[in-house]
Amino acid sequence: MKKSLLQKLGLLGVVSLLSYTAAVVFSPLAYPGYDWMSQAVSDLSAANAPSLALWNRLSSLYNVCEVLCATLVCVGIQGKKSKLLRVGIYTFVVMEWVSAVGFRMFPLSDSGYAGAFQDKMHLIITALVVTLSIASLTVIIIAGARDKSCRSYGICAGIALGMMLVGALGMKFVPAEYFGIVERFSVFAATGFNAALGIHLFCMKSGN
């Protein structure tokens, strides 16, 4: 079956994931002394990070493709699937916009936490993003459990939420030298789920 332009643009979610992955994997090359096992991903894009220029280049497709994909998913799912699923997806998309705008406006001023105003705002944005992520994924999981036509969305949401929980719990209980490892479960959860939504849009049949 021929895919519509809207469906094809759903693959921008995959492009976003690949751009983000490239930034996470290769930006440390421009950050002398960076230890990916113990340091957060956000250290790579801190305002004074030596890797900031490379991060911006490698992640140039990340935010724009992620937000565009999520917004197109909202358009593509209108009037389809269950109302509960749509509410969950809409909430997830709100989170994507808050994340894309908020973290660009308030990057960390320094690696770790320097206590500056923008660092405090960064934490507030983080808390809001986490709250919206958990709420949206939970709703999507429930929608998948209630309606078998939404099952694949629920499974993907369950994997993403599981990754977030592994990251959140791991950051509290693992030794500091392994903080970066478990933190990456959390940071890839939302981007990975966004890609999954884009793939669902690409594969969606008319009337589903």
Side-chain angles (χ1 to χ4, degrees):
M1 181 182 294
K2 187 176 180 180
K3 302 294 183 182
S4 68
L5 176 60
L6 179 67
Q7 289 176 291
K8 292 176 181 177
L9 289 175
L11 295 180
L12 289 174
V14 178
V15 174
S16 173
L17 175 60
L18 292 175
S19 177
Y20 186 74
T21 301
V24 172
V25 172
F26 296 110
S27 292
L29 297 176
Y31 193 133
Y34 180 85
D35 180 8
W36 71 271
M37 295 179 65
S38 63
Q39 288 184 255
V41 170
S42 55
D43 287 356
L44 295 168
S45 58
N48 67 345
S51 56
L52 180 59
L54 180 58
W55 173 276
N56 286 338
R57 284 196 292 270
L58 294 174
S59 66
S60 58
L61 294 175
Y62 160 55
N63 276 333
V64 64
C65 289
E66 185 166 58
V67 171
L68 183 54
C69 172
T71 304
L72 291 173
V73 168
C74 283
V75 176
I77 204 167
Q78 295 245 355
K80 300 176 181 177
K81 304 297 182 180
S82 71
K83 181 178 180 180
L84 189 62
L85 177 69
R86 295 197 300 272
V87 169
I89 289 177
Y90 297 157
T91 304
F92 184 82
V93 174
V94 170
M95 180 279 295
E96 292 281 24
W97 277 93
V98 170
S99 174
V101 176
F103 289 132
R104 283 287 181 177
M105 290 180 65
F106 303 107
L108 288 175
S109 63
D110 198 358
S111 297
Y113 179 73
F117 171 75
Q118 68 186 65
D119 297 314
K120 294 176 182 178
M121 291 302 299
H122 186 92
L123 290 184
I124 292 173
I125 296 297
T126 299
L128 184 56
V129 165
V130 169
T131 300
L132 288 171
S133 296
I134 293 175
S136 62
L137 292 174
T138 300
V139 171
I140 294 170
I141 290 170
I142 295 173
R146 289 183 176 180
D147 187 341
K148 65 179 182 179
S149 71
C150 305
R151 195 66 45 83
S152 59
Y153 290 89
I155 292 172
C156 291
I159 294 172
L161 184 58
M163 290 175 66
M164 287 185 180
L165 293 177
V166 167
L169 294 175
M171 286 185 280
K172 290 182 178 295
F173 297 111
V174 303
E177 57 265 31
Y178 300 119
F179 171 88
I181 296 177
V182 293
E183 189 249 3
R184 278 160 173 74
F185 279 92
S186 292
V187 299
F188 274 101
T191 305
F193 183 67
N194 184 78
L197 286 180
I199 293 172
H200 274 85
L201 176 61
F202 179 77
C203 297
M204 185 178 291
K205 296 178 182 179
S206 177
N208 285 347

